[in-house]
Amino acid sequence: MAAPGNSQLHSHIPKPDNLNWKPLSLTLVEYPEGDVIGQLLALVSLTPFAILAGFITLMLFRRDLHTIAFFLGVIFNEALNFVLKNWICEPRPLVRQVTYQEYGMPSSHSQFMWFFTFYFSLFVILRLTHTNNYSHMEWLWKGLLLLGTNTLSTLVTISRVYLQYHTWSQVIGGALVGGTLGVSWFIFVNCFLSPYFPTVASWKLCELLLIRDSSLIPNVLWFEYTNIRQEARARSRKLVSMKSQ
């Protein structure tokens, strides 16, 4: 039997004496031991990964062109952040005895969250509407959505400074870049891309992949709820009539 670490699977790895292990810091977040606030902020700082998982889930199960366009904006935002970091080359704060492998200006967490928040806020205000007259209830749940996203983005921004991964200037710079790009991308999608969504949805590939365009529906959630309820009632009545025969 081969000794541990000497299998063919490890044959391409250099010998331990010459090996420097590098952590994958994608989801690695450190906080002061015993600091409850730091632990909570460390969990909050993982919000971008939860949002990305939500995007992937929505694209797989809804397959809506507007969701795909929103996600492409997120990808472009991350690519811009990478370019800006390597162009500005501002190091992260050297408060702890940690050598960071990436630059800190602008903060990718802050830029991501404020891109999402600004785009999502404009979408909620301008696109999500009911066809009934419950205006007060509509603005109530809209206000709760906006309050929730803005609060979450603020906490993520603060967490990056509290946990000493960024300076205030780096997170503010990320917020400015992300917010500006979020507004710009919303205008680009709704003014320039949306008119082509019906054409794209009619492509054979989109029909094969069940990709659809729901941009003309003011509130997809309400639309699906009412139509599914009507269909369920119709099928229920049909089933009862068949059993009674």
Side-chain angles (χ1 to χ4, degrees):
M1 179 180 296
N6 294 330
S7 64
Q8 293 182 356
L9 183 63
H10 302 89
S11 59
H12 67 284
I13 301 179
K15 297 299 182 181
D17 294 338
N18 301 324
L19 185 61
N20 292 322
W21 289 87
K22 180 179 178 180
L24 180 61
S25 59
L26 188 63
T27 58
L28 177 62
V29 182
E30 297 178 331
Y31 63 92
E33 186 176 0
D35 187 350
V36 178
I37 296 178
Q39 185 177 8
L40 291 175
L41 290 177
L43 291 172
V44 168
S45 67
L46 298 176
T47 302
F49 302 101
I51 293 176
L52 287 175
F55 266 116
I56 295 173
T57 303
L58 282 174
M59 288 189 296
L60 286 176
F61 289 95
R62 296 199 53 82
R63 309 192 184 195
D64 178 63
L65 284 172
H66 194 277
T67 304
I68 297 173
F70 191 177
F71 181 71
L72 291 177
V74 171
I75 298 300
F76 179 73
N77 180 63
E78 290 300 298
L80 178 62
N81 178 265
F82 178 81
V83 172
L84 290 176
K85 277 186 175 180
N86 289 274
W87 178 50
I88 300 174
C89 297
E90 180 177 306
R92 294 173 184 259
L94 299 177
V95 180
R96 293 186 283 143
Q97 299 298 322
V98 179
T99 302
Y100 295 106
Q101 302 293 329
E102 297 179 350
Y103 295 112
M105 181 62 153
S107 166
S108 59
H109 281 71
S110 178
Q111 184 174 327
F112 178 99
M113 289 303 302
W114 289 107
F115 172 89
F116 176 83
T117 297
F118 272 80
Y119 190 104
F120 182 79
S121 298
L122 290 173
F123 181 82
V124 169
I125 294 172
L126 301 177
R127 291 288 306 277
L128 286 184
T129 56
H130 278 310
T131 56
N132 51 34
N133 296 321
Y134 300 135
S135 58
H136 296 293
M137 289 299 299
E138 178 178 333
W139 281 106
L140 175 61
W141 63 259
K142 280 186 176 183
L144 292 176
L145 285 175
L146 298 178
L147 178 62
T149 52
N150 280 272
T151 301
L152 195 57
S153 294
T154 302
L155 289 175
V156 172
T157 302
I158 294 174
S159 73
R160 304 308 288 173
V161 179
Y162 185 91
L163 299 174
Q164 301 177 356
Y165 284 100
H166 290 283
T167 63
W168 280 111
S169 62
Q170 291 172 353
V171 295
I172 292 174
L176 291 175
V177 174
T180 302
L181 186 58
V183 174
S184 303
W185 190 257
F186 182 86
I187 295 173
F188 175 71
V189 169
N190 287 273
C191 295
F192 298 100
L193 293 185
S194 292
Y196 297 99
F197 282 172
T199 303
V200 175
S202 65
W203 292 351
K204 292 296 182 181
L205 179 62
C206 291
E207 292 179 353
L208 179 64
L209 297 176
L210 303 180
I211 296 176
R212 55 188 172 176
D213 170 36
S214 58
S215 58
L216 296 178
I217 301 174
N219 192 321
V220 177
L221 185 63
W222 180 256
F223 174 81
E224 290 184 345
Y225 170 74
T226 54
N227 281 272
I228 291 175
R229 183 176 60 178
Q230 291 175 3
E231 182 66 19
R233 289 176 176 175
R235 289 176 179 268
S236 178
R237 288 193 297 266
K238 184 178 180 180
L239 183 62
V240 170
S241 63
M242 290 176 62
K243 289 182 178 180
S244 61
Q245 294 178 356

